[in-house]
Amino acid sequence: MKRDYQLRVNGKEVTVNVSATTTLIEILRDHLQLTGTKEGCGKGECGACTVLLNGEPVNSCLVLAAQADGQDVITIEGLESDRKANKLQQAFVDVGAVQCGYCTPGMIISSKALLDKNPQPSREIIREALSGNICRCTGYTKIIDAVEKASVKALKEE
C-alpha cells in the first residue's frame, strides 16, 4: 500500500507516493532522478549510497521511506552551487581521488559530515571517518589527501 511521504531533499520540499518499504536510495534515484547517489552492495556495507540524513551520514539503502518521512536529506547533488563543484568535490578532482567514480559520491558525503564536525581532522581521523566507505579501485591515499586538501584550503580561506 502506497502513501505520501514528505522529505526535504537538497533544500527542496518533495512528496513521494511510495510504499513504506521503499528505500531512500530508491526514492532518490527512481522517483527524484537524483542518480549521483550510487547503490553498491544494497546491504549497507560499501557506503556507495551514503547521504546525509539530518546532517548524519547514513546508508540510504538501509533507510525506509517511513523512516525518512519528514527528514532533511542531502545528496551529492546538494553540495553543488550553481552547478559548480564545492571545495571538497574539487579537491577530489584535483588530487585524482575520483578513480572510477562509483564510490566517490559516498566518500564525499562522508567527508562532508566529518569536516562539518571537525574542520581540521588528522589523517587517522579521516581514515576512521571513511572506514564505512569501500573503494574497490585502489588504495585510499588520494582520497585521504583530497579530504586533507579540502580541510587546509577551507582554513586558508577563513
Side-chain angles (χ1 to χ4, degrees), residues 12-154:
K12 296 179 184 171
E13 300 292 333
V14 297
T15 301
V16 293
N17 186 272
V18 297
S19 74
T21 58
T22 301
T23 62
L24 180 54
I25 192 167
E26 291 171 323
I27 291 170
L28 296 171
R29 291 184 57 85
D30 302 340
H31 297 274
L32 302 178
Q33 283 70 54
L34 294 170
T35 57
T37 302
K38 307 297 186 214
E39 183 166 8
C41 66
K43 298 176 182 174
E45 296 175 358
C46 73
C49 66
T50 304
V51 299
L52 296 179
L53 186 67
N54 298 327
E56 295 295 326
V58 298
N59 293 313
S60 60
C61 69
L62 298 180
V63 177
L64 300 178
Q67 295 170 305
D69 190 32
Q71 308 301 312
D72 188 40
V73 179
I74 301 292
T75 70
I76 191 72
E77 291 91 346
L79 300 185
E80 297 176 351
S81 175
D82 294 328
R83 308 210 36 93
K84 292 183 181 175
N86 74 5
K87 293 173 197 153
L88 184 56
Q89 292 168 311
Q90 190 61 52
F92 269 68
V93 172
D94 290 349
V95 304
V98 292
Q99 299 159 31
C100 84
Y102 204 81
C103 71
T104 304
M107 291 280 188
I108 290 174
I109 291 291
S110 291
S111 299
K112 177 177 176 16
L114 169 65
L115 295 177
D116 285 349
K117 291 180 179 170
N118 181 353
Q120 293 182 278
S122 67
R123 291 181 70 83
E124 185 61 33
I125 290 173
I126 296 169
R127 199 172 288 113
E128 174 68 25
L130 297 179
S131 63
N133 296 78
I134 295 172
C135 171
R136 300 194 194 308
C137 292
T138 184
Y140 295 84
T141 301
K142 289 184 177 182
I143 293 167
I144 293 168
D145 290 347
V147 178
E148 192 170 49
K149 179 178 181 173
S151 171
V152 170
K153 189 173 183 178

